[in-house]
Each structure stands twice: as structure tokens, then as C-alpha cells.
Amino acid sequence: MSYINENFLELQESYLFSTVAKKVNEYSAKNPDKKIIKLGIGDVTKPIVPEVIKAMHKAVDEMGTKEGFRGYGPEQGYEFLRKAIVENDYKDLGIEIDEIFVSDGAKCDCGNIVDIFDENNKVAITDPVYPVYLDTNVMSGRSGKYKKELDMYKNIVYIPVTTENNFIPELPKEKVDMIYLCFPNNPTGTTLTKQQLKIWVDYAIKNKSIILFDSAYEAFITEDNVPHSIYEIEGAKKVAIEFRSFSKTAGFTGIRCAYTVVPKELKLYTRSGEEVSANKLWNRRQCTKFNGVPYITQKAAEAIYTEEGKKQIKENIKYYLENAKIIKQGLEKAGFTVYGGVNSPYIWLKVPDGLTSWQFFDKLLEEVNVVGTPGSGFGPHGEGYFRLTAFGTKENTEEAVKRIIDL
Ligand code: MLT
């Protein structure tokens, strides 16, 4: 007999975005004539910029030559890309770091990182939250049993981020070992200042905890005093792992490329209290389970850091931020309470009184054919809220806002 990993039985229904897609497909099959506008999953719509395409073509041609062909690459990523990352994403911020692991996505890395942590670690997540952090800890046995009446897991520490605390998470009352933070935040689109983030870094240093910092939306920061990297905070190298992604920054949701920083200074502990390097463990994990990102993809990512590449991706980000403004201002004018959308491609709104997030989802889908993501899908404190993304086309964004207002 082959037994299963019973932790999987604790997972709730399907992955949030699969549930949303299923509902939309069902509606669409029954109503083929309706023009549905999708502002649900945060998937980009603008094509890959020319500089990146040029680099990919060149890399493809190289692969067809005897001299340029490459087989397995370094599991940690090619030096040319790691160097470009270090210089552009860190040196420019005054941060000395070179412990970069290139990967096929921040979602994969956020999910896989749990491999190196003890099953008994206490995990804290902000609530609402990007579901990957929670689900991967359920799969690996850190969540305990699901409590249906609360829509919460017994062993997870939920840290609310709602209007009540202005979306600023408060330190947990009990001691936690692994803390997931995502800023600019998915799903709320809100940010922390350097001072606010420092409180978490100080907590982690004091308690020997680890911060898993998801910075996938860094490219959308427009305001000063919002940190672009957690390593801008003193001491963070000792306690933080940072995840970055090219998905939203450069439209790589289909190409797949990201990276994770695991500083050498960061120590984890055996149960008997001995220090172990997190960098060494992650390297060992990657070398065993991962064969690196394709050369062509890494050449594409490198092109983002050329002068022309930077300019071109900035234009796309500007376009999405303009969409965010259209949604934010349009809905505010119509009387909605709206958050995010300034340093983020996500707009988080309060659903009209008397409706749950899923009821509002159904109403939008069925009455005006607009798709968003129900807040409660991101956790119990997301109930009563709804997320729209700015990743659509400008025309669709304007049309969606108009339809919601008419509703
Ligand atoms: C989202 O919509 O939250 C994201 O697109 C999901 C992801 O990046 O995996």
C-alpha cells in the first residue's frame, strides 16, 4: 500500500485562482455571447518589450551553434544575470549582497523554501494573504487542523491587515518562527514604510525568527520611504530571505524567471541549538531538486537591466499604474472605499454593505461581466473586500470601471 501525505487533506477546496477560473469558464460556456473583462488573477497583458525579445532571439541562435550551445547551467543561475541583479537591484540601493539564486518563479520559491524549515516552526501570515504561503505550509504539516467555523488553521498565527489597523500588521503576541511579509502587499496593494518594516526586522532579530519577504511588486513603488528591499533595513541580512520576480516587473508570467536572496549571514538552528547556514541548505536543496532556468530565459532577464530594457519595462509599469489610477479614482468617485493602487497594481475595495466577497464576485460576473477576486479567498480578514488588478488593457480597464459604476 502506498500512503499519502495526509497534510494535503487539510487543504481547502482548490487553489483560489483555479476556483475563480472555473467559475468564469462555467459562466462563459453558458453565456458565449458575453464579453467578460478579467481583472482577477494578476496576469499581465502587455507584450514582452523589444529589448528582451531581441536578447531571446540572439540566445536561441546561439543555442543552434557549436560554440554557443549550452546544456545544464549553474543551478544558482548564470553569472551574467546574477551580476546584473546585484548591480541594479542592490548596489544602486547601497546594499552589498551577492547571494542570488535565479529560479523559475517567486511562487515556486515561496513554496519550495519550506523544505529547509522544521515542521514544528510556528508560522505567521498576514491576513488576507497570497494563498501560496499558507497552502504550502499546510502541505508540509505546519498548519495543524483546519477550523471551519473560523476559516483558520489551528497552528497558524494570523495577523490581520484591515482598515482597522490601516493595513499595518501588528507584531504577534506569541513567539513565531517564520513570518511571511509581502510589500507592496498582495492582495491589499498597501505598503509599509522603512520604520514600520524595521519593527519586524527587530522582532526577528530578537526572537531568532525568519522573515520570508515577498517583494514581487517592488517595481510598482512610486512613493519615497517605501523600502524597495528588506535589506535596506539594518540587520535584515541576518533574518530575511527576499523573493523577487520578473513576472510583473517585465511581463514574465509566461516566460518564468525570478530570484531569491538567501544571505550567508542568515543562520537557522538545529533543535539542539547549533547554527546552520540557510544559504547552504537552500543551495543544497536547489542543486538536488532544480536544474536551473534555461539560458534563453536568463538572457531575456539580463536584457531587462540594459539601459534600453529598463526604459521599456518602465513604460509598461507606468501603463499599469495608470490603469490602477483609473480604477481607484473611478470607483472612489462612485462612492466605493478603495485602497492600494498607488505603489501597486492591485486595488482593494470594500464590497457594498450586505454582500459577502463571493456574492459581490457573482454579482459582478453575472450582471456586468467583470471578474475580480473575492477578498475572503485570501483569508478570513479579506471578507468584505474585493481585489481588482491593473494588469488589463487600458480600454478594458476603463470599460470595467464604467460597468461597475453603472451597476
Ligand atoms: C495574483 O493574482 O495574486 C498573482 O498573479 C498570483 C501569482 O503571482 O502567482
Side-chain angles (χ1 to χ4, degrees):
M1 192 157 3
S2 178
Y3 300 104
I4 59 156
N5 173 352
E6 290 197 19
N7 296 324
F8 276 62
L9 300 180
E10 287 300 319
L11 290 166
Q12 298 313 298
E13 296 176 27
S14 64
Y15 181 58
L16 172 63
F17 296 107
S18 317
T19 311
V20 168
K22 188 164 163 263
K23 274 185 168 255
V24 175
N25 290 342
E26 280 168 5
Y27 177 82
S28 190
K30 279 192 214 141
N31 302 277
D33 54 317
K34 301 282 191 206
K35 184 184 173 263
I36 298 174
I37 300 178
K38 295 182 185 169
L39 303 181
I41 189 164
D43 197 2
V44 291
T45 50
K46 285 202 78 72
I48 302 297
V49 299
E51 189 71 5
V52 169
I53 293 295
K54 197 169 86 190
M56 287 182 93
H57 278 301
K58 190 160 169 271
V60 169
D61 289 341
E62 272 182 66
M63 289 292 269
T65 64
K66 200 159 163 251
E67 310 70 46
F69 169 75
R70 282 168 174 81
Y72 295 128
E75 291 90 346
Q76 304 79 4
Y78 284 103
E79 193 51 35
F80 62 78
L81 178 56
R82 292 155 41 90
K83 194 160 166 267
I85 292 168
V86 165
E87 279 179 4
N88 291 279
D89 290 348
Y90 293 102
K91 272 217 177 108
D92 285 356
L93 293 174
I95 299 166
E96 285 297 326
I97 224 151
D98 67 353
E99 298 98 325
I100 309 287
F101 292 85
V102 176
S103 78
D104 57 347
K107 175 179 177 176
C108 317
D109 285 353
C110 286
N112 292 332
I113 198 81
V114 297
D115 277 9
I116 68 169
F117 290 100
D118 187 277
E119 175 183 318
N120 295 311
N121 278 336
K122 194 86 179 161
V123 173
I125 55 169
T126 52
D127 175 28
V129 79
Y130 177 45
V132 171
Y133 317 144
L134 177 63
D135 285 1
T136 54
N137 277 291
V138 175
M139 290 173 183
S140 51
R142 270 175 223 97
S143 66
K145 289 272 172 223
Y146 178 66
K147 295 191 276 183
K148 195 167 182 356
E149 62 298 353
L150 298 174
D151 184 21
M152 285 178 164
Y153 287 89
K154 185 169 160 276
N155 296 340
I156 300 285
V157 174
Y158 292 77
I159 301 169
V161 279
T162 61
T163 37
E164 276 78 52
N165 55 19
N166 219 0
F167 300 95
I168 309 206
E170 280 165 31
L171 292 176
K173 303 217 168 21
E174 63 189 292
K175 188 177 166 311
V176 296
D177 308 302
M178 293 162 64
I179 303 157
Y180 286 86
L181 295 178
C182 172
F183 288 98
N185 186 254
N186 179 13
T188 65
T190 56
T191 51
L192 293 186
T193 62
K194 288 183 191 164
Q195 293 79 355
Q196 286 159 348
L197 187 56
K198 183 174 184 304
I199 293 172
W200 285 89
V201 170
D202 291 347
Y203 171 92
I205 293 171
K206 186 164 158 234
N207 292 286
K208 295 194 167 158
S209 323
I210 289 297
I211 298 176
L212 299 153
F213 191 74
D214 185 351
S215 186
Y217 301 94
E218 173 275 338
F220 294 85
I221 295 172
T222 57
E223 292 182 324
D224 294 339
N225 203 25
V226 177
H228 287 254
S229 162
I230 193 163
Y231 305 119
E232 287 180 57
I233 314 298
E234 204 191 322
K237 277 201 227 167
K238 289 197 178 77
V239 290
I241 292 175
E242 179 161 282
F243 304 95
R244 293 276 283 261
S245 168
F246 300 115
S247 284
K248 318 295 154 84
T249 308
F252 273 40
T253 50
I255 294 181
R256 310 302 309 149
C257 197
Y259 67 87
T260 289
V261 183
V262 188
K264 294 211 174 92
E265 286 174 43
L266 198 155
K267 302 289 181 232
L268 302 175
Y269 300 89
T270 63
R271 288 202 190 167
S272 53
E274 289 153 50
E275 282 186 355
V276 179
S277 154
N279 181 287
K280 250 191 178 160
L281 290 187
W282 183 243
N283 189 49
R284 186 70 176 81
R285 190 258 173 224
Q286 290 298 79
C287 291
T288 304
K289 294 195 181 180
F290 185 57
N291 256 337
V293 174
Y295 175 71
I296 299 162
T297 305
Q298 294 193 52
K299 274 290 172 189
E302 184 195 23
I304 296 165
Y305 294 109
T306 59
E307 277 319 302
E308 199 47 41
K310 279 187 210 169
K311 241 197 275 160
Q312 292 173 356
I313 62 165
K314 242 188 212 148
E315 279 305 306
N316 285 1
I317 289 163
K318 210 168 117 202
Y319 177 93
Y320 293 133
L321 282 171
E322 193 55 40
N323 284 348
K325 203 165 166 190
I326 291 168
I327 302 175
K328 190 173 159 63
Q329 292 183 347
L331 295 185
E332 273 171 353
K333 230 178 179 177
F336 281 90
T337 308
V338 181
Y339 306 94
V342 174
N343 298 292
S344 161
Y346 294 128
I347 288 90
W348 189 241
L349 54 121
K350 281 207 122 161
V351 302
D353 281 348
L355 293 180
T356 65
S357 301
W358 276 108
Q359 283 167 345
F360 188 61
F361 171 89
D362 289 336
K363 198 172 166 65
L364 282 193
L365 174 62
E366 286 160 22
E367 293 180 27
V368 291
N369 307 138
V370 173
V371 179
T373 313
S376 58
F378 295 101
H381 285 93
E383 183 53 278
Y385 296 88
F386 198 78
R387 195 192 78 175
L388 292 170
T389 95
F391 287 124
T393 63
K394 183 169 183 214
E395 299 71 38
N396 277 347
T397 304
E398 282 171 340
E399 171 67 19
V401 171
K402 192 173 155 295
R403 290 188 196 177
I404 298 172
I405 293 172
D406 289 348
L407 180 83

